[in-house]
Amino acid sequence: MSVLDAVRTEVAQRPGTRALAVGLRIGALAGLDADSLRFGFDCLVKDSDLEPLRLDIAPADGDELDIAYLELEEP
């Protein structure tokens, strides 16, 4: 949910834009399973104001967990 909250915050600061994709970097020691995260993300996005937001996950070092990018579509 915190990723979606961050996406909504960014979109709200740019009226008329739509979020297309968000990229996360997740380290092996972050304690997250990428497949489980993707499943939960897809469930939360389905039928929401953010659909069809895509989640891209890239490996990172250590316990890193951060948003790498947010792709927006402008009107």
Side-chain angles (χ1 to χ4, degrees):
M1 279 303 288
S2 61
V3 172
L4 297 181
D5 291 342
V7 169
R8 284 186 177 102
T9 298
E10 289 298 315
V11 169
Q13 293 175 6
R14 294 164 181 81
T17 61
R18 182 172 69 115
L20 299 176
V22 60
L24 300 181
R25 287 190 299 247
I26 302 175
L29 302 176
L32 290 173
D33 177 67
D35 291 333
S36 296
L37 179 64
R38 187 178 309 281
F39 176 78
F41 180 90
D42 290 343
C43 288
L44 291 170
V45 167
K46 185 177 174 146
D47 297 328
S48 78
D49 59 317
L50 294 175
E51 190 174 33
L53 182 63
R54 184 182 78 242
L55 175 64
D56 297 326
I57 298 175
D61 295 328
D63 63 352
E64 184 177 357
L65 172 60
D66 64 357
I67 296 176
Y69 67 87
L70 177 60
E71 182 181 333
L72 299 175
E73 178 180 65
E74 301 205 14

